[in-house]
Amino acid sequence: MKYKKAVIGMMAVCAVLGGCQKADEEPKTATASEPVSQEKSEDTMDFSTMKNGDRIQRSITDEVKMDAELVLPEKDLDSVEIYHVLVDTYDGPKVMEDLLGYIPDNVEKTSYSENDNAYLYKGNLGAEFANLEGDFSIENQLCLTTDHWESMSQIMPIMWIGYDIQFWVEGCEEQVKQDLPFQTREAAEQEIRQTLSEKTEGTIYRTLQMYSFSHQILEKCQNEYIASEEKQARSIDNPRTDWGETEDCYWLQLEQELEGIPVLSHNVVRSDDLYVPSQEITVGYTKNGIEDLNIIAHYTVREKEKATLESYETIENALKKKFEMMFAGNVEITQMKLIYFPLCTEQDADGFWKCDMIPTWEFTIQTGMGTDYVYINAVDGMEIYG
């Protein structure tokens, strides 16, 4: 999927907070209850008394304030575990048959070892995809897109400013929240999540953000882009000449759960270049169904062990330590969310990474430069550095 991208302010945000990863909008959760606490007395802050949707209001330092939505799993925190996983490949033939409904005759096997089920296909995607032409590839990530979607997505009005998504065409802000004629947002989201859970070896998928783009908006985007093409970095390949309801579409970003806890869904670039296999998931959807699908990073659980989470006091002290040691300016922490952060340990004989899925508190940070994230290991209370 092709989008205009910008990195305005990214380096400045990274310099302040020490992490370089792309941000998403926060997922919708249960209606927030009354603030957990606005006092500094530590004995009032206990995970056992907190619930999903609570707000935590604290002063971390003089310049860093917390007014954060708490995002917790349904499971009890005392039952959280550490998972040892292998970042491997999909079962290529099975997922291809599940998604397409058949295995094409001219599919190309691109594996580098006997245990690497990597495949590449270009052609008719079959009845499950309205017999549209497109591309399909599967290895440690799954990518599928129709030629029809490609013709629309090259002018999708989404751009990244630092870690935040913004729209480069006026008039999108309200329209992107509306239902489209062919299907409501709720029904489309439900169908997408069900399809992914049944056909991509996943379990439970949750929506991080969802945008609606009518064909009128997309046509407007194309016309405005072409009108200013001499100022653009690249030209549009084969601009569409016909726009109609078939081009109405939803675009989603999702996250996948591991035993009820979301897996890291933001791209993390560490300063030591250590690979972090975050699981980024995007979907494009029209009246034809799913027309674009990207799932980065596939993993298989090998073992698990019981984890004991550190207290809220320990986690907050780690935040204080981080921000007291730097000049951060005015910072607001807007969300505190329990996720699994994959930490790579070693590679196996086939070159696949072994990882520990560590229960981690992901803090969403708002600065004058945009959004960033801070990660605190929920088991040992130490920061996981970007």
Side-chain angles (χ1 to χ4, degrees), residues 14-54:
C14 292
V16 170
L17 297 175
C20 287
Q21 57 272 1
K22 183 177 65 180
D24 299 313
E25 293 176 359
E26 282 68 56
K28 296 179 180 178
T29 58
T31 303
S33 66
E34 291 300 311
V36 174
S37 175
Q38 298 189 41
E39 304 297 328
K40 288 299 293 182
S41 54
E42 303 294 348
D43 59 349
T44 64
M45 302 299 293
D46 189 328
F47 286 128
S48 65
T49 64
M50 300 179 189
K51 58 184 180 297
N52 184 54
D54 280 343

Side-chain angles (χ1 to χ4, degrees), residues 3-253:
Y3 305 107
K4 294 179 63 181
K5 293 188 177 180
V7 292
I8 299 172
M10 181 178 291
M11 293 181 64
V13 175
C14 292
V16 170
L17 297 175
C20 287
Q21 57 272 1
K22 183 177 65 180
D24 299 313
E25 293 176 359
E26 282 68 56
K28 296 179 180 178
T29 58
T31 303
S33 66
E34 291 300 311
V36 174
S37 175
Q38 298 189 41
E39 304 297 328
K40 288 299 293 182
S41 54
E42 303 294 348
D43 59 349
T44 64
M45 302 299 293
D46 189 328
F47 286 128
S48 65
T49 64
M50 300 179 189
K51 58 184 180 297
N52 184 54
D54 280 343
R55 295 206 73 82
I56 302 177
Q57 296 179 329
R58 310 280 282 177
S59 292
I60 305 302
T61 69
D62 289 342
E63 295 180 322
V64 180
K65 309 300 181 184
M66 179 186 288
D67 185 3
E69 175 194 29
L70 182 65
V71 181
L72 294 175
E74 293 183 4
K75 66 190 303 179
D76 193 284
L77 295 185
D78 291 336
S79 64
V80 172
E81 296 171 304
I82 295 173
Y83 286 86
H84 306 290
V85 306
L86 186 67
V87 183
D88 55 5
T89 61
Y90 285 89
D91 183 339
K94 180 181 184 303
V95 175
M96 182 177 292
E97 187 164 14
D98 286 345
L99 270 176
L100 302 185
Y102 76 114
I103 298 180
D105 293 334
N106 60 332
V107 66
E108 178 184 355
K109 187 170 174 33
T110 58
S111 304
Y112 297 102
S113 71
E114 292 183 1
N115 298 323
D116 184 3
N117 290 311
Y119 293 85
L120 180 66
Y121 172 71
K122 182 176 180 63
N124 189 294
L125 296 175
E128 294 290 330
F129 292 87
N131 287 309
L132 294 169
E133 298 290 312
D135 296 271
F136 181 92
S137 63
I138 185 167
E139 45 182 337
N140 65 334
Q141 62 186 45
L142 192 163
C143 300
L144 180 150
T145 190
T146 67
D147 293 349
H148 176 244
W149 181 267
E150 188 75 6
S151 72
M152 301 186 302
S153 66
Q154 62 180 336
I155 44 84
M156 200 76 73
I158 296 174
M159 63 180 177
W160 295 98
I161 301 295
Y163 305 134
D164 298 305
I165 284 184
Q166 294 188 15
F167 305 106
W168 56 270
V169 170
E170 294 183 2
C172 282
E173 289 76 8
E174 291 304 317
Q175 192 271 339
V176 297
K177 304 174 185 177
Q178 298 175 3
D179 289 338
L180 293 170
F182 74 91
Q183 197 171 22
T184 65
R185 290 167 62 92
E186 182 179 0
E189 180 184 4
Q190 183 177 353
E191 184 170 325
I192 290 166
R193 290 169 55 183
Q194 181 176 346
T195 298
L196 295 185
S197 295
E198 293 176 351
K199 298 184 177 182
T200 64
E201 298 184 1
T203 51
I204 298 175
Y205 292 86
R206 293 188 180 275
T207 303
L208 292 171
Q209 56 188 353
M210 180 176 186
Y211 297 136
S212 315
F213 296 113
S214 68
H215 65 276
Q216 294 95 335
I217 284 289
L218 295 180
E219 185 174 15
K220 178 183 177 182
C221 291
Q222 179 176 280
N223 293 340
E224 291 188 7
Y225 193 95
I226 292 175
S228 61
E229 202 162 39
E230 69 279 357
K231 301 178 183 178
Q232 306 299 339
R234 63 174 181 83
S235 60
I236 295 178
D237 297 327
N238 300 317
R240 289 194 66 87
T241 57
D242 56 325
W243 292 91
E245 290 187 358
T246 307
E247 284 67 59
D248 290 341
C249 63
Y250 292 113
W251 182 85
L252 298 83
Q253 269 189 318

Side-chain angles (χ1 to χ4, degrees), residues 263-324:
V263 177
L264 175 70
S265 59
H266 311 309
N267 179 38
V268 176
V269 180
R270 290 177 56 105
S271 57
D272 57 7
D273 293 328
L274 182 64
Y275 172 51
V276 179
S278 59
Q279 194 165 58
E280 302 171 69
I281 305 169
T282 61
V283 175
Y285 185 83
T286 71
K287 66 187 302 182
N288 295 320
I290 293 177
E291 288 204 42
D292 187 75
L293 174 61
N294 294 275
I295 304 178
I296 298 177
H298 176 272
Y299 56 84
T300 300
V301 174
R302 298 300 188 184
E303 297 176 327
K304 62 182 180 179
E305 62 180 281
K306 182 73 174 63
T308 301
L309 305 190
E310 280 287 357
S311 66
Y312 175 86
E313 178 182 358
T314 299
I315 303 303
E316 185 175 287
N317 285 338
L319 280 176
K320 289 181 181 178
K321 180 180 178 181
K322 175 180 181 63
F323 287 110
E324 285 174 349

